[in-house]
Amino acid sequence: MKWAACLAVLGTLGGAAGQAQQQQQPPAGVLVRPLASLIIPGMGQLMAHQDRGAVYIAAEVYLLSRYLQLDHEAIVEARRFQSLAFDVARQSFAPMRRDTIFEYFEQMERFAESGRYDADTGPAFIPESDPATYNGSVWLLARRTFWADPNIPPDPTSLQYWKALQFYQARAVGPNFLWSWRNHSLEHEVFKDYISRSDNAFRRAQNQVGLLLANHVLSAVDALISARMSAAAGRAAEMRTSVGLSGRSEVRFSIAF
């Protein structure tokens, strides 16, 4: 009899502990709907038969289409300034088209000429000395960085001279990428405009990516709050957000009775 009573008490305690654990664990629906909204905005709301899910989906379609449009615009403008640079500024230096990083074209925007890479026609290597050109500005920066006086060269065999020379060779534009907009100032202005358009379109496309991520997160948070409120109250609940023409936003919670 004593053993039977002990077993009965243990069974009752085990059942109560199991019920308490089940109550602490959130229902599966509380996690499914937010996860669905995180993957596809508005899906969690539609699963709960909430009409505002269509708003999240519409926002996703608009933002994605806008991103694709701006990204395409950035690529088109990039092809334009690259083609113009090759056909005008680089044609006499590089008969073969060679593409490179965007920073190179930014320097073409700032400097009308690249300058020579090696100013000596013989076996010696002499950097471009004209600071109005890009390579000349790099050599000036190298001299200011490593020489005691940028206007007084040290011994060519000294460590200071070789450090400045290595700095120049690592950053200067080589023979295959020299350019000159001389006598083509109008084309240079058009080139700058193409770069500005491409850069602006690219930045705006990146902004759309941020808005897309925000739409996913907002839809998931909306679905999570609504699902938890429904589970806690034992009846349907929803959260509504609204933005007025004046920019004032409101968040409303409602529970069905």
Side-chain angles (χ1 to χ4, degrees), residues 4-257:
C6 290
L7 290 174
V9 172
L10 291 175
T12 302
L13 293 176
Q19 291 178 359
Q21 184 177 6
Q22 290 178 357
Q23 291 177 355
Q24 292 177 356
Q25 294 178 350
V30 175
L31 301 178
V32 171
R33 285 167 51 190
L35 181 60
S37 286
L38 185 63
I39 298 174
I40 303 177
M43 185 58 63
Q45 285 76 20
L46 294 180
M47 291 172 62
H49 306 288
Q50 297 169 347
D51 295 338
R52 70 178 180 279
V55 177
Y56 289 109
I57 294 178
E60 183 77 2
V61 172
Y62 170 77
L63 293 172
L64 182 59
S65 62
R66 185 61 176 159
Y67 165 78
L68 295 175
Q69 177 187 359
L70 291 170
D71 185 67
H72 175 72
E73 180 180 339
I75 293 175
V76 169
E77 297 297 338
R79 290 173 179 169
R80 287 178 177 175
F81 72 68
Q82 289 171 0
S83 297
L84 185 60
F86 177 79
D87 294 337
V88 177
R90 294 175 55 188
Q91 184 62 42
S92 59
F93 300 99
M96 295 182 61
R97 185 183 294 269
R98 295 172 181 265
D99 292 326
T100 182
I101 58 177
F102 179 71
E103 286 74 9
Y104 167 78
F105 296 101
E106 284 186 320
Q107 299 305 329
M108 292 186 72
E109 180 184 14
R110 293 179 55 200
F111 293 90
E113 294 183 89
S114 63
R116 297 165 295 178
Y117 178 68
D118 183 3
D120 187 83
T121 57
F125 183 83
I126 300 179
E128 172 63 65
S129 58
D130 185 0
T133 65
Y134 172 71
N135 283 349
S137 68
V138 173
W139 180 233
L140 177 60
L141 178 60
R143 301 197 315 265
R144 288 175 173 173
T145 303
F146 296 100
W147 293 4
D149 187 337
N151 298 318
I152 302 177
D155 188 334
T157 61
S158 65
L159 181 61
Q160 292 82 2
Y161 188 90
W162 282 103
K163 282 186 175 181
L165 194 62
Q166 290 175 351
F167 181 94
Y168 172 82
Q169 291 174 338
R171 293 165 175 79
V173 174
N176 293 326
F177 293 94
L178 300 179
W179 77 82
S180 175
W181 294 103
R182 181 179 297 180
N183 300 325
H184 297 286
S185 58
L186 179 60
E187 289 86 346
H188 194 195
E189 293 302 320
V190 174
F191 173 81
K192 294 178 181 179
D193 184 57
Y194 285 158
I195 281 191
S196 177
R197 291 183 184 181
S198 178
D199 196 27
N200 289 336
F202 178 76
R203 284 199 301 265
R204 292 165 65 189
Q206 296 305 307
N207 292 337
Q208 298 303 308
V209 173
L211 293 175
L212 280 167
L213 294 176
N215 190 45
H216 283 248
V217 173
L218 181 59
S219 178
V221 171
D222 180 352
L224 177 63
I225 294 176
S226 179
R228 284 191 172 274
M229 290 176 61
S230 298
R235 53 180 64 91
E238 64 177 350
M239 180 185 74
R240 294 188 179 185
T241 59
S242 61
V243 179
L245 296 176
S246 61
R248 182 180 179 183
S249 59
E250 295 183 352
V251 180
R252 298 180 180 179
F253 298 94
S254 60
I255 302 177
F257 289 94

